[in-house]
């Protein structure tokens, strides 16, 4: 173990190196002294943070120095010890005047951590008390962006209200996109994410369609991992519970004209969650929404933008008033076979049909009208691997569902999503108050849920009860909680 003062010096040296790799917006020669001052103040806050956590043996090792291509001149000029700060500050003005302007990207090496002095008590793991999205942890990640200069250094700060100009684009034109991902604690208390690369890709696509800025997906993910590490005590250690991660990007440019975004902010908040629908695998009913259109061809229904969600609040209210948990969006196009089945706002939807001697699991295709769900993709992959049923991504008209239900061929319906995982559905209530009922065998589902890790992957025995929903849920949970290793489960280094 290094002597404490040696570790501190090492930490400071690392911090300084990181700072100079960090391409603090050194764009305009006029701004160069200010940039140098910012560099030093960044250094100070990082050093303070290292000092703050100096009782940890990990001091100095959370800031990997990963040189970026084409920046070696900075390493040669500035990768130096803490003592040289004064000289650097003086010399910076001349040196930066030769820099070719290059907008900065998000970089984990630049991350600043400011810990809160007021930590909240952690909640108890009561599925009813831990209402989805109602509680937030103590810290958040934030980083802002400006056209021309790019992203500032990301920081982890105590959660606090944000200041926005009243003319910020997000407040008027809904320039907002977000993600939903989760951190899980495995049996060894290690933290894990599930397919986070898919969330980073989707966030990037959502941002692009709103002219919100691009970002380095790998670097952002590293910053998110650090936030989860900081909040590791908030990650519930119980199956069915997790830490919900909400990365969000908003347009902050104070401008009432309609124009592409010139200023933005990316932030990530965390919320400890239990089951999205209290009661776990207890089935729900959906209201068949045929009047409000959630998505349409050529729209942004396949992006996770705030504008797709705000107009679903009213259908959601109407659904709950009619005893349903959510709406199922069915796009009417006058076709005699009924409207086109989409998704339900917080979930993708799956239907299991009995078809001439076989079964077919159907979910709507990725045609721009539904969100490309991470859980959706995972369930499709697992079900295809079973090899005992046809698995289709195809257009589904509501008439086909009604026919199958009438003839007893509609075997199961379930929704999937990050928030809800797998959610059985036993009723589809139509506007005329008639209801399609769907079977759900709770004992069969419980049989599959009780299986030991990995056992649900084995072919079912001939005497085993049938529950596709139960079997898929067991396998999904095994992967998410790292009970069965897979490349999908991404461990967060301690
Ligand atoms: C998610 O599943 O992560 C979602 O974003 C659903 C949310 C609208 C509650």
């Amino acid at each position: 173990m290094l002597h404490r003062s040696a570790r501190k010096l090492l930490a400071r040296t690392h911090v300084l190196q990181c700072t100079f790799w960090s391409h603090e917006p050194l764009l305009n020669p006029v701004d160069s002294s200010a940039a140098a001052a910012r560099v030093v103040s960044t250094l100070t806050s990082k050093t303070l943070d290292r000092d703050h956590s100096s009782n940890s043996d990990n001091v100095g090792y959370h800031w990997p120095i990963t040189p970026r291509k084409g920046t070696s001149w900075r390493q040669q000029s500035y990768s130096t010890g803490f003592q040289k700060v004064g000289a650097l500050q003086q010399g910076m003005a001349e040196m930066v005047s030769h820099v070719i302007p290059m907008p900065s990207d998000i970089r984990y090496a630049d991350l600043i951590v400011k810990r809160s002095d007021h930590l909240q008590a952690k909640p108890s793991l009561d599925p009813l008390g831990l209402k989805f999205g109602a509680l937030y942890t103590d810290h958040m990640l934030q980083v802002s962006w400006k056209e021309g200069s790019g992203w500032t250094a990301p920081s982890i700060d105590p959660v606090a209200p944000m200041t926005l100009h009243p003319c910020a684009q997000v407040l008027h034109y809904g320039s907002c996109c977000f993600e939903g991902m989760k951190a899980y604690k495995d049996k060894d208390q290690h933290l894990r994410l599930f397919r986070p690369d898919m969330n980073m890709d989707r966030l990037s696509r959502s941002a692009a369609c709103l002219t919100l800025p691009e970002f380095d997906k790998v670097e952002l993910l590293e910053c998110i991992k650090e936030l989860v590490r900081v909040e590791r005590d908030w990650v519930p250690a119980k199956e069915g519970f997790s830490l919900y991660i909400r990365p969000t990007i908003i347009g902050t440019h104070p401008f009432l004209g309609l124009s592409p975004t010139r200023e933005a902010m990316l932030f990530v908040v965390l919320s400890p969650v239990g089951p999205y629908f209290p009661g776990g695998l207890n089935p729900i009913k959906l209201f068949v929404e045929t009047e409000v259109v959630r998505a349409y061809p050529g729209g942004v229904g396949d992006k996770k933008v705030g504008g797709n969600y705000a107009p679903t609040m009213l259908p959601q209210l109407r659904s709950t008033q009619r005893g349903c948990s959510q709406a199922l969006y069915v796009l009417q196009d006058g076709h005699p076979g009924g409207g086109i089945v989409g998704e339900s706002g917080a979930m993708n939807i799956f239907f299991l049909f009995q078809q001439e001697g076989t079964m077919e699991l159907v979910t709507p295709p990725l045609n721009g009208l539904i969100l490309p769900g991470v859980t959706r993709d995972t369930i499709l992959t697992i079900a295809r691997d079973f090899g005992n049923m046809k698995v289709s991504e195809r257009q589904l008209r509501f008439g086909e569902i009604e026919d199958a239900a009438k003839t007893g061929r509609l075997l199961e319906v379930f929704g999937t999503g990050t928030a809800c995982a797998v959610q059985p559905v036993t009723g589809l209530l139509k506007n005329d108050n008639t209801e399609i009922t769907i079977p759900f065998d709770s004992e069969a589902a419980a049989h599959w849920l009780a299986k030991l890790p990995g056992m649900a992957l084995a072919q079912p025995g001939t005497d085993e009860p049938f529950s596709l929903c139960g079997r898929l849920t067991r396998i999904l949970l095994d992967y998410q909680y790292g009970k069965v290793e897979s490349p999908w489960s991404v461990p967060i280094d301690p």
Side-chain angles (χ1 to χ4, degrees), residues 132 178 180 244 246 276 304 309 345-346 417-419:
F132 180 92
F178 65 95
Y244 187 75
R246 176 52 68 85
Y276 186 73
K304 213 161 171 66
Y309 290 83
T418 300

Side-chain angles (χ1 to χ4, degrees), residues 181-207:
M181 35 201 304
K182 280 177 174 172
Y184 306 87
K185 213 173 243 176
D186 69 18
K187 64 177 185 348
D188 301 318
Q189 306 298 302
H190 291 142
L191 303 173
R192 291 168 177 267
L193 299 174
F194 190 71
R195 310 189 74 182
D197 51 318
M198 286 190 80
N199 297 99
M200 294 298 102
D201 287 345
R202 193 170 61 188
L203 184 63
S204 170
R205 292 196 301 274
S206 302

Side-chain angles (χ1 to χ4, degrees), residues 46-333:
K46 282 185 177 175
T47 305
L48 285 176
D49 182 61
R50 297 288 87 196
D51 284 346
H52 173 85
S53 53
S54 59
N55 55 355
S56 151
D57 283 338
N58 292 330
V59 167
Y61 296 100
H62 281 323
W63 310 99
I65 297 167
T66 44
R68 221 164 36 158
K69 277 184 197 149
T71 53
S72 58
W73 66 270
R74 286 186 194 160
Q75 184 186 29
Q76 285 151 20
S77 307
Y78 301 133
S79 184
T80 177
F82 185 62
Q83 306 84 331
K84 294 190 184 166
V85 167
L88 271 167
Q89 199 170 3
Q90 286 161 19
M92 186 69 89
E94 295 91 344
M95 300 178 101
V96 293
S97 62
H98 303 299
V99 177
I100 299 164
M102 180 179 67
S104 331
D105 210 325
I106 295 178
R107 284 173 45 86
Y108 172 61
D110 300 345
L111 183 64
I112 300 161
V113 182
K114 294 181 203 131
R115 286 179 187 263
S116 170
D117 294 330
H118 306 286
L119 302 182
Q120 307 164 71
K122 311 291 178 292
S124 66
L125 297 186
D126 164 14
L128 295 172
L130 203 56
K131 193 166 177 259
F132 180 92
L135 269 182
Y136 302 98
T137 67
D138 299 305
H139 297 91
M140 65 191 286
L141 173 74
Q142 47 190 340
V143 46
S144 52
W145 177 90
K146 253 192 187 161
E147 187 181 56
S149 54
W151 295 98
T152 56
S155 63
I156 291 175
D157 302 293
V159 170
M162 298 185 310
T163 307
L164 281 183
H165 193 282
C167 296
Q169 274 181 322
V170 62
L171 300 177
H172 301 267
Y173 305 126
S175 317
C176 160
C177 61
F178 65 95
E179 266 310 311
M181 35 201 304
K182 280 177 174 172
Y184 306 87
K185 213 173 243 176
D186 69 18
K187 64 177 185 348
D188 301 318
Q189 306 298 302
H190 291 142
L191 303 173
R192 291 168 177 267
L193 299 174
F194 190 71
R195 310 189 74 182
D197 51 318
M198 286 190 80
N199 297 99
M200 294 298 102
D201 287 345
R202 193 170 61 188
L203 184 63
S204 170
R205 292 196 301 274
S206 302
C209 89
L210 299 179
T211 72
L212 289 168
E214 287 177 33
F215 54 90
D216 186 313
K217 295 178 253 182
V218 173
E219 296 286 322
L220 175 61
L221 185 55
E222 287 308 309
C223 295
I224 292 176
K225 286 181 187 170
E226 187 67 36
L227 178 64
V228 175
R229 263 185 223 113
V230 166
E231 300 288 48
R232 65 163 298 121
D233 292 346
W234 282 91
V235 187
K238 188 172 175 187
E239 189 175 277
F241 292 78
S242 53
L243 189 65
Y244 187 75
I245 305 172
R246 176 52 68 85
T248 307
I249 310 181
I250 55 174
T252 51
H253 183 203
F255 182 57
L256 292 181
L258 274 179
S259 81
T261 298
R262 300 178 69 182
E263 287 175 31
M265 163 133 198
L266 187 158
F267 59 92
V268 184
V269 287
L270 307 175
S271 171
V273 294
Y276 186 73
F277 298 107
L281 258 196
N282 278 349
I284 57 165
K285 270 201 303 192
L286 297 178
F287 178 69
V288 182
E289 178 60 68
T290 50
E291 284 167 15
V292 173
V293 174
R294 192 201 82 93
Y296 40 84
V300 292
D302 58 347
K303 308 291 187 309
K304 213 161 171 66
V305 298
N308 280 343
Y309 290 83
T312 67
M313 307 295 178
L314 192 56
Q316 169 66 25
L317 180 66
R318 287 204 293 252
S319 302
T320 48
Q321 282 166 348
R322 297 180 75 158
C324 298
S325 299
Q326 265 184 42
L328 173 66
Y329 292 91
V330 176
L331 179 68
Q332 299 302 102
D333 61 351

